[in-house]
Amino acid sequence: MAEPERTRLTARGAATRARILDAAVELMSVKGATATTLDDVRAASGTSKSQLYHHFPDKDALVQEVIGRRAQDLLAWHEGQLKRLNSMRGLERWRDAVVQHNALHNGAYGCPLGSLASELSDRDERARTALAAHFATWEGLIADGLERMRAAGKLRPDADPRRLAVGLMGALQGGYLLAQTKQDVTPMKIALDMALDGIRAFQA
């Protein structure tokens, strides 16, 4: 009888942990990581202090999990868009999907990772390191697609996929910020269009 009980409690504990993390992700998306308190998370998740601290010993631990969750969701979405990228038309479809996705909230809340990076990078080295790694993975998805284009002869041999990926990422993050400020995705589309023009300059 003991083993089923332990299994049931483990499943219950996992569900509680997931509920806490879901609440933290939502709150930090709206209020920011700094303004969100553990009491906010506890109230939103309907958990006790002992439950919260059992799964997350302090706020730093919870912030790390929020970064990981946001990165997992965001990178999975972009990987789905970019994993077969091998043409300018593919880049244009990715651009359209990104702009349309951001238009769902009229640009509000900005980039899920970029907003955390802006808030935490200068005050939390552990968070900055984790975010830098996730951004490197994101740039890598773009660079891999550009490398496939170069290998297929669609970009000139002198095109540098890594450098072009950094430029495109810069346009994307700037576009997120401008769209958030204006509550309008038009600036994001313009920024991405100009970055794609820079890549087109290397077409074979």
Side-chain angles (χ1 to χ4, degrees), residues 25-76:
V25 169
E26 181 66 23
L27 285 168
M28 291 184 191
S29 296
V30 176
K31 297 179 64 174
T34 302
T36 298
T37 67
L38 291 180
D39 283 341
D40 292 335
V41 175
R42 181 182 58 78
S45 60
T47 52
S48 66
K49 284 188 176 180
S50 62
Q51 287 175 310
L52 178 60
Y53 285 108
H54 174 72
H55 294 289
F56 301 98
D58 53 35
K59 186 176 175 181
D60 285 346
L62 184 56
V63 167
Q64 285 294 313
E65 290 286 340
V66 169
I67 291 171
R69 168 70 73 79
R70 284 201 192 178
Q72 181 182 16
D73 293 345
L74 183 67
L75 294 176

Side-chain angles (χ1 to χ4, degrees), residues 105-120:
H105 301 288
N106 294 322
Y109 310 118
C111 171
L113 286 185
S115 57
L116 285 173
S118 177
E119 184 178 4
L120 298 172

Side-chain angles (χ1 to χ4, degrees), residues 130-200:
L131 287 160
H134 293 312
F135 272 106
T137 299
W138 196 353
E139 286 176 11
L141 292 173
I142 298 170
D144 288 347
L146 295 172
E147 178 58 45
R148 287 192 293 273
M149 290 172 63
R150 187 174 67 170
K154 296 175 183 178
L155 294 179
R156 299 199 313 262
D158 62 325
D160 185 337
R162 293 286 163 184
R163 186 178 178 85
L164 292 172
V166 171
L168 186 51
M169 179 62 74
L172 175 60
Q173 290 304 312
Y176 268 120
L177 180 61
L178 292 173
Q180 181 180 14
T181 304
K182 289 196 169 189
Q183 297 282 281
D184 179 3
V185 296
T186 302
M188 168 183 267
K189 186 176 186 303
I190 292 171
L192 289 173
D193 283 346
M194 294 186 73
L196 292 192
D197 285 343
I199 294 172
R200 286 190 188 93

Side-chain angles (χ1 to χ4, degrees), residues 89-103:
R89 181 59 192 136
L91 272 176
E92 291 164 0
R93 285 195 295 268
W94 168 79
R95 174 208 58 204
D96 292 344
V98 169
V99 172
Q100 190 62 39
H101 194 262
N102 201 34

Side-chain angles (χ1 to χ4, degrees), residues 63-64 67 120-121 124-132:
V63 167
Q64 285 294 313
I67 291 171
L120 298 172
S121 290
D124 185 336
E125 180 61 17
R126 188 181 175 201
R128 186 200 66 77
T129 300
L131 287 160

